[in-house]
Amino acid sequence: MPDAGPAAGLVEPPEPLPPEFAAIMRPELPSLVEEIAVEIRRAIPEYDQLLEGPYGEVLQQGVEQNLSTFVEQVANPESPTARWDDMCRRLGRFEAYEGRSFQYLRAALRIGARVALRRAKTVGARYNMSPMLMAMFADAVFAHVDATEELCREGYREAQSGPEDAEARRRRLLRLLLSGGMLPLAHPAVTELADGVGWPLPDVATPVALAADRRPDPTQLPRDVLVELADPQPHLLVPGPLTEERRATLAASLAGCRAALGVTVPLARSADSLRWARQALAHAESGIVRDEPVFACDDHLVTLWLMADPPLAEELARRQLAPLAGHTPVRRERLVDTLRVWLTTRDTAARMARMLHVHPQTVRYRLRSLHQLFGAQLDDHDERFAVEVAVRTLHLRRRDDDG
């Protein structure tokens, strides 16, 4: 698509909407964001794969921020917009760095406006809004889209106005490597950029997910590490495996930060490993994973697997632990704890009693009850494995609730 000139804008600013209108709009935002993303992916194939990659969440946050800013401006026209301004310019720069025509982003903004107006028609009918109010809403939407487009265009032009510096090119390389397979590693866009920044493509790499609350000093990180700290979800990409020496260097560079060292994987699978590292970091923040501020995902792979799909884990627990459904919550919790210790240790009643802080005779009584309740389920290898998965997952979820 050829690039077009700036949006024409309105001759006069639209009439302000009643502030009370914001209260009607806010509950619509989560589902509206999803609907806009679906429409953009359907209409613009160039964005479809991008939304599947690790930057899809960032782009979705852009849509959310844009809609939230519009609602806040309705509620209070004097509310600050600095965050929105920066986000729009960043989207424009991102498009330029990726080599896409600005027309794709412009089309996406127009799709968002069309979906919002379609939703407004439904909501307007629900609340019996007047035609004049709906016309005012449409004017406000198009004015906001025009302003968004102009800010994005500023960022786009800024990125095109001069050559990227070395750090910007390293960040662009990192985006390409973590694009979830959008470009093969042998693609000239990847190899030429890697050669240009002096970053030999390794066979394997180790992503690192960083918490956003405190970010490291990039000058203290090893030079061969690719760094993205401006992202809402900051991250690194370390070439090669994590040797003991490399771990020590990273730990020193990340002192004071919270970080999950990803699994070392073939370079093409780095996006998967970064996703796992982010999940591990979220589990550490909720208390499910208990480790040092800088920890390795390798030590928590079973936890990541068990917590990958909470609704499915809940259904598994409901089915496998159905024999305990008739007991009181307190009795059921005690039996589940005893079952978990027995399945994972197969130890004597005396040792299990020490772990559970009860008398050995209590453990023996509970074990007899469990065997009566579950019967052959604990003798069959597959069924016993499923029960163990269920009780381990419940134990992890309890940590989450306690955390």
Side-chain angles (χ1 to χ4, degrees):
M1 296 184 185
D3 196 3
L10 298 174
V11 176
E12 296 181 1
E15 290 291 322
L17 289 166
E20 296 79 9
F21 200 71
I24 297 174
M25 297 162 61
R26 282 196 181 94
E28 303 293 324
L29 294 185
S31 60
L32 184 58
V33 168
E34 293 182 8
E35 188 175 350
I36 288 174
V38 169
E39 287 292 318
I40 289 175
R41 295 174 72 159
R42 183 189 61 78
I44 309 177
E46 289 77 8
Y47 283 158
D48 188 26
Q49 286 186 312
L50 189 66
L51 287 166
E52 286 291 344
Y55 288 91
E57 186 171 345
V58 176
L59 293 177
Q60 183 154 325
Q61 288 174 355
V63 175
E64 293 172 356
Q65 179 66 38
N66 200 18
L67 292 174
S68 297
T69 299
F70 176 72
V71 173
E72 291 305 318
Q73 287 288 299
V74 170
N76 176 18
E78 302 301 320
S79 59
T81 62
R83 185 181 176 191
W84 170 64
D85 294 354
D86 180 66
M87 180 273 297
C88 292
R89 293 189 181 97
R90 284 182 61 201
L91 283 177
R93 289 194 295 269
F94 180 78
E95 290 296 289
Y97 292 151
E98 294 296 308
R100 279 187 291 274
S101 165
F102 187 78
Q103 282 296 84
Y104 290 119
L105 182 55
R106 188 171 188 267
L109 293 173
R110 291 296 183 270
I111 290 170
R114 187 168 67 246
V115 174
L117 291 174
R118 188 171 66 204
R119 176 68 64 88
K121 183 177 180 181
T122 302
V123 175
R126 187 190 311 156
Y127 287 92
N128 295 317
M129 295 180 185
S130 68
M132 180 176 292
L133 183 58
M134 296 305 299
M136 290 170 60
F137 177 78
D139 283 346
V141 167
F142 284 119
H144 184 73
V145 168
D146 284 344
T148 301
E149 180 183 331
E150 191 54 39
L151 287 167
C152 290
R153 192 183 296 277
E154 285 181 19
Y156 192 86
R157 287 171 174 162
E158 175 189 322
Q160 289 188 320
S161 63
E164 296 175 273
D165 60 25
E167 287 306 314
R169 285 184 291 140
R170 285 167 65 88
R171 289 195 298 272
R172 183 152 64 94
L173 174 62
L174 180 57
R175 285 198 298 272
L176 290 177
L177 294 174
L178 295 176
S179 63
M182 287 178 59
L183 287 178
L185 296 180
H187 193 285
V190 178
T191 57
E192 291 175 11
L193 188 55
D195 289 341
V197 300
W199 201 81
L201 295 174
D203 293 330
V204 298
T206 311
V208 179
L210 302 170
D213 55 351
R214 184 169 179 179
R215 308 182 189 213
D217 179 354
T219 64
Q220 300 301 310
L221 291 165
R223 183 58 190 163
D224 65 343
V225 173
L226 297 181
V227 179
E228 176 54 271
L229 300 181
D231 194 279
Q233 294 180 298
H235 51 277
L236 317 172
L237 186 63
V238 181
L242 287 185
T243 62
E244 289 301 321
E245 181 180 359
R246 175 71 88 174
R247 285 175 185 262
T249 301
L250 281 174
S253 303
L254 299 174
C257 302
R258 288 179 296 151
L261 309 179
V263 179
T264 299
V265 293
L267 184 59
R269 292 182 52 205
S270 296
D272 288 330
S273 184
L274 179 59
R275 175 168 51 84
W276 302 333
R278 284 174 172 163
Q279 291 170 352
L281 194 61
H283 292 330
E285 291 173 350
S286 66
I288 294 176
V289 170
R290 294 173 181 171
D291 214 319
E292 299 296 322
V294 178
F295 65 93
C297 289
D298 286 7
D299 300 330
H300 303 283
L301 294 182
V302 173
T303 296
L304 288 173
W305 173 60
L306 291 175
M307 298 300 291
D309 192 335
L312 181 59
E314 184 175 338
E315 179 61 20
L316 177 66
R318 186 186 69 79
R319 291 180 179 225
Q320 295 303 132
L321 302 180
L324 303 178
H327 291 278
T328 65
V330 172
R331 172 68 173 164
R332 185 166 60 246
E333 183 174 324
R334 290 171 178 169
L335 288 173
V336 167
D337 278 343
T338 304
L339 183 59
R340 176 180 58 83
V341 173
W342 178 75
L343 286 169
T344 55
T345 69
R346 299 300 181 87
D347 222 327
T348 64
R351 291 181 179 175
M352 288 178 59
R354 286 195 291 272
M355 297 178 196
L356 294 167
H357 307 291
V358 296
H359 193 276
Q361 191 59 34
T362 302
V363 172
R364 295 187 185 96
Y365 171 73
R366 290 181 187 175
L367 289 176
R368 284 195 298 270
S369 298
L370 288 168
H371 281 283
Q372 290 172 357
L373 288 166
F374 285 89
Q377 194 172 348
L378 296 182
D379 298 324
D380 181 271
H381 294 294
D382 292 337
E383 287 294 322
R384 188 169 63 244
F385 175 74
V387 171
E388 183 173 353
V389 169
V391 296
R392 281 177 178 257
T393 305
L394 283 181
H395 182 63
L396 291 171
R397 289 180 59 196
R398 194 181 306 160
R399 281 192 190 178
D400 189 15
D401 295 338
D402 293 344

